[in-house]
Amino acid sequence: TLETLLHLVSILFLVFLAGVLVFQAYNSLHWRVELDTPILQYSAFLIERFDLVPYRDFFETSMPGTFAFHVLIGSLFGYSDLAFHIVDLVLLFVFLSCAALFMSRFGWLTAAWGAVLFALVYFGKGQTMTLQRDYLGLFPIVFALLLIPKTANRPVHWLRFPAAGFLFGLAALVKPHLAIGLPAFWGILYLFRCRSEKASPKSGILTAALSLAGFLVPISITLLWLAQKAALQPFLDILLKHIPLYSTLNGAHVSLAPAERLRYILSMGVRLGNYPGFAVCLVYVLFITLQKERLPREQKLAILFLAAVSVLYALYPLLAGKFWSYHYMPFAFFICLSTALCFFIANTPMPGS
């Protein structure tokens, strides 16, 4: 049948793209580190070898979680380009495995398409994207995806809420505005909890408070460490004084007046980081999903969740007023997963069929 033929073609094309992905992964081992990465590696070298404290002993605007990652990698594997790219490939494999495990609720073909699409986007940006902070901060968020249950047959344990908050706290230590996705994660966990037990305003407030408490744990520990090292005040100066000043600059590093900045943000934001085609796919998926009454509620909730998170991370670059390609990595990740849903929707019968 035509449906079987299309299914076979999609598998063959996926295999072809997977082969391209393997070639790109091998080729990435020969890349030089560029852009912010050499600066961050040098900062990690100063911290590891000379016990310097960021913000107190040298000026850097990156968040503490970024330094912690680079110190860990440098201390374990050194600071060579090859070691850095091997770590990148290993982490990417873990990253994609977690994403595919979450997407497996829609079938393994959909899961594979989502993983391959994002990996192709990631490698397609070249060496300037390798383990950039906006991508690096996605790792805790991808693990948070695994907290979302596949079915509502079992009650959602309350520990999932502080666990999700904690993972988003780790992400915020890399880029603070990555926390924009936490309400959507709390929302879907709460909806699954409501499916398995009676909902109440009290339970909603309690689970939200648990998520917030989990979010504050890694941040509080980090602030206490900075205070112990006499680095808290310089860190707050950078966070509250320098970064807002930096945010007034456009892509050409020209300072903008408030009205000009607003026009700049709106004009750049509507471009969606050059992913408008993927956004169209998401609109198609949402339209068909709302038409399919027999679609299991758990799957429909997960689709609406991916749409909500995609929208939130489309807004993410607007918070900083910066629109370089790596600022769109969180959006690219969730919009790639959403685009892969086209293969799931295409194989789900329409009402009355």
Side-chain angles (χ1 to χ4, degrees), residues 285-295 300 349-351:
V285 167
L286 280 175
F287 176 76
I288 300 299
T289 298
L290 295 175
Q291 302 297 312
K292 295 189 175 185
E293 299 176 357
R294 290 185 293 175
L295 191 68
K300 186 172 289 189
M350 288 290 290

Side-chain angles (χ1 to χ4, degrees), residues 160-195:
R160 293 186 186 231
F161 292 94
F166 181 83
L167 290 168
F168 268 88
L170 293 178
L173 287 174
V174 178
K175 276 295 185 78
H177 38 304
L178 279 170
I180 192 175
L182 179 56
F185 277 73
W186 167 81
I188 190 169
L189 286 173
Y190 182 65
L191 288 173
F192 268 96
R193 186 176 176 87
C194 293
R195 291 276 293 165

